[in-house]
Every structure is written in structure tokens, then in C-alpha cells.
Coordinates of all heavy atoms in Angstrom, one line a residue:
S19 N 55.9 71.7 -56.3 CA 56.7 72.6 -55.4 C 57.7 71.7 -54.6 O 57.6 70.5 -54.5 CB 55.8 73.3 -54.4 OG 55.4 72.5 -53.4
Q20 N 58.7 72.4 -54.1 CA 59.7 71.7 -53.3 C 59.1 71.0 -52.1 O 59.5 69.9 -51.7 CB 60.9 72.6 -52.9 CG 62.0 71.9 -52.3 CD 62.7 70.9 -53.1 OE1 62.9 71.1 -54.3 NE2 63.0 69.8 -52.6
E21 N 58.2 71.7 -51.5 CA 57.6 71.1 -50.3 C 56.8 69.8 -50.6 O 56.9 68.8 -49.9 CB 56.6 72.1 -49.7 CG 55.9 71.6 -48.4 CD 54.9 72.6 -47.8 OE1 54.9 73.8 -48.2 OE2 54.2 72.2 -46.9
E22 N 56.1 69.8 -51.8 CA 55.4 68.6 -52.2 C 56.4 67.4 -52.4 O 56.2 66.3 -52.1 CB 54.6 68.8 -53.4 CG 53.4 69.7 -53.2 CD 52.7 70.1 -54.5 OE1 53.4 70.2 -55.5 OE2 51.5 70.2 -54.4
R23 N 57.6 67.7 -53.1 CA 58.6 66.7 -53.4 C 59.1 66.2 -52.0 O 59.4 65.0 -51.9 CB 59.7 67.3 -54.2 CG 59.4 67.4 -55.6 CD 60.7 67.8 -56.5 NE 60.2 68.6 -57.6 CZ 60.3 70.0 -57.6 NH1 60.9 70.6 -56.7 NH2 59.9 70.6 -58.7
D24 N 59.4 67.1 -51.1 CA 59.9 66.7 -49.8 C 58.9 65.8 -49.1 O 59.3 64.7 -48.5 CB 60.3 67.9 -48.9 CG 61.5 68.6 -49.5 OD1 62.3 68.1 -50.3 OD2 61.6 69.8 -49.1
N25 N 57.7 66.1 -49.1 CA 56.6 65.3 -48.5 C 56.6 63.9 -49.2 O 56.4 62.9 -48.5 CB 55.3 66.0 -48.5 CG 55.2 67.1 -47.6 OD1 55.9 67.3 -46.7 ND2 54.3 68.0 -47.9
F26 N 56.6 63.9 -50.5 CA 56.6 62.6 -51.2 C 57.8 61.7 -50.9 O 57.6 60.6 -50.7 CB 56.5 62.9 -52.7 CG 56.1 61.8 -53.5 CD1 54.8 61.3 -53.5 CD2 57.0 61.1 -54.3 CE1 54.4 60.3 -54.3 CE2 56.6 60.0 -55.1 CZ 55.3 59.6 -55.1
K27 N 59.0 62.3 -50.8 CA 60.2 61.6 -50.5 C 60.0 61.0 -49.1 O 60.4 59.9 -48.8 CB 61.4 62.5 -50.5 CG 61.8 62.8 -51.9 CD 63.1 63.7 -51.9 CE 63.5 64.1 -53.3 NZ 64.6 65.0 -53.4
A28 N 59.5 61.8 -48.2 CA 59.3 61.3 -46.8 C 58.3 60.1 -46.8 O 58.6 59.2 -46.0 CB 58.8 62.4 -45.9
L29 N 57.3 60.2 -47.6 CA 56.3 59.1 -47.6 C 57.0 57.8 -48.2 O 56.8 56.7 -47.6 CB 55.1 59.4 -48.5 CG 54.1 60.3 -47.9 CD1 53.1 60.7 -49.0 CD2 53.4 59.6 -46.8
L30 N 57.8 58.0 -49.2 CA 58.5 56.8 -49.8 C 59.5 56.2 -48.9 O 59.7 55.0 -48.9 CB 59.2 57.3 -51.1 CG 58.2 57.6 -52.3 CD1 59.1 58.2 -53.4 CD2 57.5 56.4 -52.7
S31 N 60.1 57.0 -48.0 CA 61.1 56.4 -47.1 C 60.5 56.0 -45.8 O 61.2 55.5 -44.9 CB 62.2 57.4 -46.9 OG 61.8 58.6 -46.3
S32 N 59.2 56.2 -45.6 CA 58.5 55.9 -44.3 C 58.5 54.4 -44.0 O 58.4 53.6 -44.9 CB 57.1 56.4 -44.4 OG 56.4 56.0 -43.2
K33 N 58.8 54.1 -42.8 CA 58.7 52.7 -42.3 C 57.3 52.3 -41.9 O 57.0 51.1 -41.9 CB 59.7 52.5 -41.1 CG 61.1 52.9 -41.3 CD 61.8 51.9 -42.2 CE 63.3 52.2 -42.3 NZ 63.9 51.6 -43.4
E34 N 56.5 53.3 -41.8 CA 55.1 53.0 -41.4 C 54.3 52.5 -42.6 O 54.4 53.1 -43.7 CB 54.4 54.3 -40.8 CG 53.0 54.0 -40.4 CD 52.4 55.3 -39.8 OE1 53.2 56.2 -39.3 OE2 51.2 55.5 -40.0
E35 N 53.5 51.5 -42.5 CA 52.8 50.9 -43.6 C 51.4 51.3 -43.7 O 50.7 51.4 -44.7 CB 52.9 49.4 -43.6 CG 54.3 48.9 -43.8 CD 54.4 47.4 -43.9 OE1 53.3 46.7 -44.1 OE2 55.5 46.8 -43.7
N36 N 50.8 51.7 -42.5 CA 49.4 52.0 -42.5 C 49.1 53.3 -43.2 O 49.5 54.4 -42.8 CB 48.9 52.2 -41.0 CG 49.0 50.8 -40.3 OD1 49.0 49.8 -40.8 ND2 49.1 50.9 -39.0
G37 N 48.4 53.2 -44.3 CA 47.9 54.3 -45.1 C 48.9 55.0 -45.9 O 48.6 55.9 -46.7
V38 N 50.2 54.6 -45.9 CA 51.2 55.3 -46.7 C 51.0 55.0 -48.2 O 51.0 56.0 -49.0 CB 52.6 54.8 -46.3 CG1 53.7 55.4 -47.2 CG2 52.9 55.3 -44.9
L39 N 50.7 53.8 -48.6 CA 50.5 53.5 -50.0 C 49.3 54.3 -50.5 O 49.3 54.9 -51.6 CB 50.3 52.0 -50.2 CG 50.1 51.6 -51.6 CD1 51.2 52.0 -52.5 CD2 49.8 50.1 -51.7
Q40 N 48.2 54.3 -49.7 CA 47.0 55.1 -50.1 C 47.3 56.6 -50.3 O 46.9 57.2 -51.2 CB 45.9 54.9 -49.0 CG 44.6 55.5 -49.4 CD 44.0 54.8 -50.6 OE1 44.2 53.6 -50.8 NE2 43.3 55.5 -51.4
E41 N 48.1 57.1 -49.4 CA 48.4 58.5 -49.5 C 49.3 58.8 -50.7 O 49.1 59.8 -51.4 CB 49.2 59.0 -48.2 CG 49.3 60.5 -48.1 CD 49.8 60.9 -46.7 OE1 49.8 60.1 -45.8 OE2 50.3 62.1 -46.7
I42 N 50.2 57.9 -51.0 CA 51.0 58.0 -52.2 C 50.1 58.0 -53.5 O 50.3 58.9 -54.3 CB 52.1 56.9 -52.3 CG1 53.2 57.2 -51.2 CG2 52.8 56.9 -53.7 CD1 54.2 56.1 -51.0
K43 N 49.2 57.1 -53.5 CA 48.3 57.0 -54.6 C 47.5 58.3 -54.8 O 47.4 58.8 -55.9 CB 47.3 55.8 -54.5 CG 47.9 54.5 -54.7 CD 46.8 53.5 -54.5 CE 47.3 52.1 -54.5 NZ 46.2 51.1 -54.3
E44 N 47.0 58.8 -53.7 CA 46.2 60.1 -53.8 C 47.1 61.2 -54.3 O 46.6 62.0 -55.1 CB 45.7 60.4 -52.4 CG 44.6 59.5 -51.9 CD 44.1 59.7 -50.5 OE1 44.6 60.7 -49.9 OE2 43.3 58.9 -50.0
K45 N 48.3 61.3 -53.8 CA 49.2 62.4 -54.3 C 49.5 62.2 -55.8 O 49.5 63.2 -56.5 CB 50.5 62.4 -53.4 CG 50.3 62.9 -52.0 CD 51.6 63.1 -51.3 CE 51.4 63.6 -49.9 NZ 50.7 64.8 -49.8
L46 N 49.7 61.0 -56.2 CA 50.0 60.8 -57.7 C 48.8 61.2 -58.5 O 49.0 61.9 -59.6 CB 50.3 59.3 -57.9 CG 51.7 58.9 -57.5 CD1 51.8 57.4 -57.6 CD2 52.8 59.6 -58.2
F47 N 47.6 60.9 -58.1 CA 46.4 61.3 -58.9 C 46.1 62.8 -58.8 O 45.8 63.4 -59.7 CB 45.2 60.5 -58.4 CG 45.3 59.0 -59.0 CD1 45.5 58.0 -58.1 CD2 45.1 58.7 -60.3 CE1 45.6 56.7 -58.6 CE2 45.2 57.5 -60.8 CZ 45.4 56.4 -59.9
D48 N 46.2 63.3 -57.5 CA 46.0 64.7 -57.3 C 46.9 65.6 -58.1 O 46.6 66.7 -58.5 CB 46.0 65.1 -55.8 CG 44.8 64.5 -55.1 OD1 43.9 64.0 -55.7 OD2 44.9 64.4 -53.8
S49 N 48.2 65.2 -58.2 CA 49.2 66.0 -58.9 C 49.1 66.0 -60.4 O 49.7 66.8 -61.0 CB 50.6 65.5 -58.4 OG 50.9 64.3 -59.1
G50 N 48.3 65.0 -60.9 CA 48.2 64.9 -62.3 C 49.3 64.0 -62.9 O 49.3 63.7 -64.1
A51 N 50.2 63.5 -62.1 CA 51.3 62.7 -62.6 C 50.8 61.3 -63.2 O 51.2 60.9 -64.2 CB 52.3 62.4 -61.4
A52 N 49.8 60.8 -62.5 CA 49.2 59.5 -63.0 C 48.5 59.7 -64.4 O 48.7 58.9 -65.3 CB 48.1 59.0 -62.0
S53 N 47.9 60.9 -64.6 CA 47.2 61.2 -65.8 C 48.2 61.3 -66.9 O 48.1 60.8 -68.0 CB 46.3 62.4 -65.7 OG 45.8 62.7 -66.9
K54 N 49.3 62.1 -66.6 CA 50.4 62.3 -67.6 C 51.0 61.0 -68.0 O 51.3 60.7 -69.2 CB 51.4 63.3 -67.1 CG 50.9 64.7 -67.0 CD 52.0 65.6 -66.4 CE 51.5 67.0 -66.2 NZ 52.5 67.8 -65.6
T55 N 51.2 60.1 -67.0 CA 51.9 58.8 -67.3 C 50.9 58.0 -68.1 O 51.4 57.3 -69.1 CB 52.2 58.1 -65.9 OG1 53.1 58.9 -65.2 CG2 52.8 56.8 -66.2
E56 N 49.7 58.0 -67.8 CA 48.7 57.2 -68.6 C 48.7 57.7 -70.1 O 48.6 56.9 -71.0 CB 47.3 57.4 -68.0 CG 46.3 56.5 -68.6 CD 44.9 56.6 -67.8 OE1 44.3 57.6 -67.9 OE2 44.6 55.6 -67.1
K57 N 48.7 59.0 -70.3 CA 48.7 59.5 -71.7 C 50.0 59.1 -72.4 O 49.9 58.7 -73.6 CB 48.6 61.0 -71.6 CG 47.2 61.6 -71.3 CD 47.2 63.1 -71.2 CE 45.8 63.5 -70.8 NZ 45.8 65.0 -70.6
S58 N 51.1 59.1 -71.7 CA 52.3 58.6 -72.4 C 52.2 57.2 -72.7 O 52.6 56.7 -73.8 CB 53.5 58.9 -71.5 OG 53.8 60.2 -71.3
A59 N 51.7 56.4 -71.8 CA 51.6 54.9 -72.0 C 50.7 54.6 -73.2 O 51.0 53.8 -74.1 CB 51.1 54.2 -70.8
F60 N 49.5 55.4 -73.3 CA 48.6 55.2 -74.4 C 49.3 55.5 -75.7 O 49.1 54.9 -76.7 CB 47.4 56.0 -74.2 CG 46.5 55.5 -73.1 CD1 45.5 56.3 -72.6 CD2 46.6 54.2 -72.6 CE1 44.7 55.9 -71.6 CE2 45.7 53.8 -71.6 CZ 44.8 54.6 -71.1
S61 N 50.1 56.6 -75.7 CA 50.8 57.0 -76.9 C 51.8 55.9 -77.4 O 51.9 55.5 -78.6 CB 51.6 58.3 -76.7 OG 52.3 58.6 -77.8
F62 N 52.5 55.3 -76.4 CA 53.5 54.2 -76.7 C 52.7 53.0 -77.2 O 53.2 52.3 -78.2 CB 54.3 53.9 -75.5 CG 55.4 54.8 -75.2 CD1 55.5 55.5 -74.0 CD2 56.5 55.0 -76.1 CE1 56.5 56.4 -73.8 CE2 57.5 55.9 -75.9 CZ 57.5 56.6 -74.7
I63 N 51.6 52.7 -76.6 CA 50.8 51.5 -77.1 C 50.3 51.7 -78.5 O 50.4 50.8 -79.3 CB 49.6 51.3 -76.1 CG1 50.1 50.8 -74.7 CG2 48.6 50.3 -76.7 CD1 50.7 49.5 -74.7
S64 N 49.9 52.9 -78.8 CA 49.4 53.2 -80.1 C 50.5 53.0 -81.2 O 50.3 52.4 -82.2 CB 48.8 54.7 -80.2 OG 48.4 55.0 -81.5
V65 N 51.7 53.6 -80.9 CA 52.8 53.4 -81.8 C 53.2 51.9 -81.9 O 53.4 51.4 -83.1 CB 54.0 54.2 -81.3 CG1 55.3 53.9 -82.1 CG2 53.7 55.7 -81.4
A66 N 53.2 51.2 -80.8 CA 53.5 49.8 -80.9 C 52.5 49.0 -81.7 O 53.0 48.2 -82.5 CB 53.5 49.2 -79.5
K67 N 51.3 49.3 -81.6 CA 50.3 48.6 -82.5 C 50.4 48.9 -83.9 O 50.3 48.1 -84.8 CB 48.8 49.0 -82.0 CG 48.5 48.4 -80.7 CD 47.1 48.8 -80.2 CE 46.0 48.0 -80.9 NZ 44.7 48.3 -80.3
E68 N 50.8 50.2 -84.2 CA 51.1 50.5 -85.6 C 52.3 49.7 -86.2 O 52.3 49.3 -87.3 CB 51.4 52.0 -85.8 CG 50.1 52.9 -85.6 CD 50.4 54.4 -85.6 OE1 51.5 54.8 -86.0 OE2 49.6 55.1 -85.1
K69 N 53.3 49.6 -85.3 CA 54.5 48.9 -85.7 C 54.3 47.4 -86.0 O 55.0 46.8 -86.8 CB 55.6 49.0 -84.7 CG 56.1 50.4 -84.4 CD 56.9 51.0 -85.6 CE 57.4 52.4 -85.2 NZ 58.1 53.0 -86.3
V70 N 53.3 46.8 -85.4 CA 53.0 45.4 -85.5 C 52.2 45.1 -86.8 O 52.2 44.0 -87.3 CB 52.2 44.9 -84.3 CG1 51.6 43.6 -84.5 CG2 53.0 44.9 -83.0
N71 N 51.6 46.2 -87.4 CA 50.8 46.0 -88.6 C 51.6 45.4 -89.8 O 50.9 44.8 -90.6 CB 50.2 47.4 -89.0 CG 49.0 47.7 -88.2 OD1 48.3 46.8 -87.7 ND2 48.7 48.9 -88.0
F72 N 52.9 45.5 -89.8 CA 53.6 44.9 -91.0 C 53.6 43.4 -90.9 O 53.8 42.7 -92.0 CB 55.0 45.4 -91.0 CG 56.0 44.7 -90.1 CD1 56.7 43.6 -90.5 CD2 56.1 45.1 -88.8 CE1 57.5 43.0 -89.6 CE2 56.9 44.5 -87.9 CZ 57.7 43.4 -88.3
L73 N 53.3 42.8 -89.8 CA 53.3 41.4 -89.7 C 52.1 40.8 -90.4 O 51.0 41.4 -90.4 CB 53.2 41.0 -88.2 CG 54.4 41.3 -87.3 CD1 54.1 41.0 -85.8 CD2 55.7 40.6 -87.7
S74 N 52.3 39.6 -91.0 CA 51.1 39.0 -91.6 C 50.2 38.5 -90.5 O 50.6 38.3 -89.4 CB 51.6 37.8 -92.5 OG 52.3 36.9 -91.7
Q75 N 48.9 38.3 -90.9 CA 47.9 37.9 -90.0 C 48.3 36.5 -89.4 O 48.6 35.6 -90.1 CB 46.6 37.8 -90.6 CG 45.4 37.6 -89.7 CD 45.3 38.8 -88.7 OE1 45.5 39.9 -89.1 NE2 45.0 38.5 -87.5
S76 N 48.3 36.4 -88.1 CA 48.7 35.2 -87.4 C 48.2 35.3 -85.9 O 47.8 36.3 -85.4 CB 50.2 35.0 -87.4 OG 50.8 35.9 -86.5
S77 N 48.2 34.2 -85.3 CA 47.8 34.1 -83.9 C 48.8 34.9 -83.0 O 48.5 35.5 -82.0 CB 47.7 32.7 -83.3 OG 49.0 32.1 -83.4
Y78 N 50.1 35.0 -83.5 CA 51.1 35.8 -82.7 C 50.8 37.3 -82.8 O 50.9 38.0 -81.8 CB 52.5 35.5 -83.3 CG 52.8 34.0 -83.2 CD1 52.9 33.2 -84.4 CD2 53.1 33.4 -82.0 CE1 53.2 31.9 -84.3 CE2 53.4 32.0 -81.9 CZ 53.5 31.3 -83.1 OH 53.7 30.0 -83.0
K79 N 50.5 37.7 -84.0 CA 50.1 39.1 -84.2 C 48.9 39.4 -83.3 O 48.8 40.5 -82.7 CB 49.9 39.4 -85.6 CG 49.5 40.9 -85.9 CD 49.3 41.2 -87.4 CE 48.8 42.6 -87.6 NZ 48.6 42.8 -89.1
D80 N 47.9 38.6 -83.4 CA 46.7 38.8 -82.6 C 47.0 38.9 -81.2 O 46.4 39.7 -80.4 CB 45.7 37.6 -82.9 CG 45.1 37.7 -84.3 OD1 45.2 38.7 -85.0 OD2 44.6 36.6 -84.8
S81 N 47.9 38.0 -80.7 CA 48.2 38.0 -79.3 C 48.9 39.3 -78.9 O 48.7 39.9 -77.8 CB 49.2 36.9 -78.9 OG 48.5 35.6 -79.1
L82 N 49.8 39.8 -79.7 CA 50.5 41.1 -79.4 C 49.5 42.2 -79.4 O 49.5 43.1 -78.5 CB 51.5 41.4 -80.5 CG 52.8 40.6 -80.5 CD1 53.6 40.8 -81.7 CD2 53.6 40.9 -79.2
L83 N 48.5 42.3 -80.3 CA 47.5 43.3 -80.3 C 46.6 43.2 -79.1 O 46.2 44.2 -78.5 CB 46.7 43.3 -81.6 CG 47.5 43.7 -82.9 CD1 46.7 43.4 -84.1 CD2 48.0 45.1 -82.8
A84 N 46.2 42.0 -78.8 CA 45.4 41.7 -77.6 C 46.1 42.2 -76.3 O 45.5 42.7 -75.4 CB 45.0 40.3 -77.5
L85 N 47.4 41.9 -76.2 CA 48.1 42.3 -75.1 C 48.2 43.9 -74.9 O 48.0 44.4 -73.9 CB 49.6 41.8 -75.1 CG 50.5 42.2 -74.0 CD1 50.0 41.7 -72.7 CD2 51.9 41.7 -74.3
A86 N 48.3 44.5 -76.1 CA 48.3 46.0 -76.0 C 46.9 46.5 -75.6 O 46.9 47.4 -74.8 CB 48.7 46.5 -77.4
D87 N 45.9 45.9 -76.1 CA 44.5 46.3 -75.7 C 44.3 46.0 -74.2 O 43.7 46.9 -73.5 CB 43.5 45.5 -76.5 CG 43.4 46.0 -78.0 OD1 43.9 47.2 -78.3 OD2 43.0 45.3 -78.8
F88 N 44.8 44.9 -73.7 CA 44.7 44.6 -72.3 C 45.4 45.7 -71.4 O 44.8 46.1 -70.4 CB 45.3 43.2 -72.0 CG 45.4 42.9 -70.5 CD1 44.3 42.6 -69.8 CD2 46.6 43.0 -69.9 CE1 44.4 42.3 -68.5 CE2 46.7 42.8 -68.6 CZ 45.6 42.4 -67.8
I89 N 46.5 46.1 -71.8 CA 47.3 47.1 -71.1 C 46.5 48.4 -71.0 O 46.4 49.0 -70.0 CB 48.7 47.3 -71.7 CG1 49.5 46.0 -71.5 CG2 49.4 48.5 -71.1 CD1 50.8 46.0 -72.2
V90 N 45.9 48.8 -72.2 CA 45.2 50.0 -72.2 C 43.9 49.9 -71.3 O 43.7 50.8 -70.5 CB 44.7 50.3 -73.7 CG1 43.7 51.5 -73.7 CG2 45.9 50.7 -74.5
K91 N 43.2 48.8 -71.4 CA 42.0 48.6 -70.6 C 42.4 48.6 -69.1 O 41.7 49.1 -68.2 CB 41.3 47.3 -71.0 CG 40.6 47.5 -72.3 CD 39.9 46.2 -72.7 CE 39.4 46.3 -74.1 NZ 38.9 45.0 -74.6
R92 N 43.5 47.9 -68.8 CA 43.9 47.8 -67.4 C 44.2 49.2 -66.8 O 43.9 49.5 -65.7 CB 45.1 46.9 -67.2 CG 45.5 46.6 -65.8 CD 46.6 45.5 -65.8 NE 46.9 45.2 -64.4 CZ 48.0 45.6 -63.8 NH1 48.8 46.4 -64.4 NH2 48.2 45.3 -62.5
G93 N 44.8 50.0 -67.7 CA 45.2 51.4 -67.2 C 43.9 52.2 -66.9 O 44.0 53.1 -66.1
L94 N 42.8 51.9 -67.6 CA 41.6 52.7 -67.4 C 40.9 52.2 -66.1 O 40.1 53.0 -65.6 CB 40.6 52.5 -68.6 CG 41.1 53.1 -69.9 CD1 40.1 52.7 -71.0 CD2 41.2 54.6 -69.8
N95 N 41.3 51.1 -65.6 CA 40.7 50.5 -64.4 C 41.5 50.8 -63.2 O 42.1 49.9 -62.6 CB 40.4 49.0 -64.5 CG 39.4 48.7 -65.6 OD1 38.4 49.4 -65.7 ND2 39.7 47.6 -66.3
R96 N 41.6 52.1 -62.9 CA 42.4 52.5 -61.7 C 41.9 52.0 -60.4 O 40.6 51.9 -60.3 CB 42.4 54.0 -61.6 CG 43.1 54.7 -62.8 CD 43.1 56.2 -62.5 NE 43.7 56.8 -63.7 CZ 43.4 58.0 -64.1 NH1 42.5 58.7 -63.4 NH2 44.0 58.6 -65.1
P97 N 42.7 51.7 -59.5 CA 42.2 51.2 -58.2 C 41.4 52.4 -57.5 O 41.8 53.6 -57.7 CB 43.4 50.9 -57.4 CG 44.6 51.6 -58.1 CD 44.2 51.7 -59.5
V98 N 40.3 52.0 -56.9 CA 39.5 53.0 -56.2 C 40.2 53.4 -55.0 O 40.7 52.6 -54.2 CB 38.1 52.4 -55.9 CG1 37.3 53.4 -55.1 CG2 37.4 51.9 -57.2
I99 N 40.3 54.7 -54.8 CA 40.9 55.3 -53.6 C 39.8 55.5 -52.6 O 38.8 56.3 -52.8 CB 41.6 56.6 -53.9 CG1 42.7 56.4 -54.9 CG2 42.1 57.3 -52.7 CD1 43.4 57.6 -55.4
T100 N 39.9 54.8 -51.5 CA 38.9 55.0 -50.4 C 39.5 55.7 -49.2 O 40.6 55.8 -49.0 CB 38.4 53.6 -50.0 OG1 39.5 52.8 -49.5 CG2 37.7 52.9 -51.1

């Protein structure tokens, strides 16, 4: 809604630091935006890993695949909102 957008913009432009970042995180997760972004990222990672398959087996290819796996795992480890 427009009200939610306005509140979010106000938080982003806020000079106050106490709790603002936490509130922004909560709003991103509550709105579903974080989940949608995560799904898009996983899709891009999957496509990227498929594109790397043409490379012959090497430590460079292994590193690229490991990096992709790391990004996916890191995405699953969301910071705990307290």
C-alpha cells in the first residue's frame, strides 16, 4: 500500500539509528519482499551453475560452483530478528 511505502521511505531517510535497521528488516520479511528476492536469487544461481557445466573439470570450475553453493547457503542463514 502507499502508506507502507511512505513508512518505509521515512525509515530509510531517518537519521535515528536505534532500531531503524531492525525495523527495516522486519518490514522486508513481513512483506514477503525478502522471500521473493531469495527465490529470484536461487533461480539465477541455478541458471549460473548450469552455464558453468560446459567447462571442463578444473579447480576453477569447482571454485565457481562452490561460490554459488556458498551464496545459496548464506541466503538460507537469515539474520535472526530479535
Side-chain angles (χ1 to χ4, degrees):
S19 76
Q20 185 61 43
E21 183 180 346
E22 289 172 330
R23 281 190 214 101
D24 291 342
N25 288 339
F26 195 72
K27 285 179 185 178
L29 282 173
L30 290 173
S31 62
S32 174
K33 302 288 185 200
E34 184 180 328
E35 293 182 20
N36 296 335
V38 172
L39 182 58
Q40 187 65 32
E41 191 171 345
I42 290 171
K43 286 181 187 179
E44 288 174 8
K45 288 188 180 300
L46 288 173
F47 287 109
D48 291 346
S49 72
S53 177
K54 289 178 186 176
T55 301
E56 188 175 69
K57 286 178 185 175
S58 292
F60 290 161
S61 178
F62 282 118
I63 293 289
S64 178
V65 170
K67 287 176 78 172
E68 288 175 17
K69 298 290 184 182
V70 170
N71 280 333
F72 81 93
L73 296 172
S74 58
Q75 192 60 39
S76 69
S77 61
Y78 302 110
K79 180 179 178 179
D80 292 342
S81 293
L82 288 171
L83 294 172
L85 177 60
D87 289 338
F88 169 77
I89 291 169
V90 169
K91 288 177 187 171
R92 186 171 185 257
L94 294 174
N95 295 321
R96 294 182 185 153
V98 176
I99 298 175
T100 58

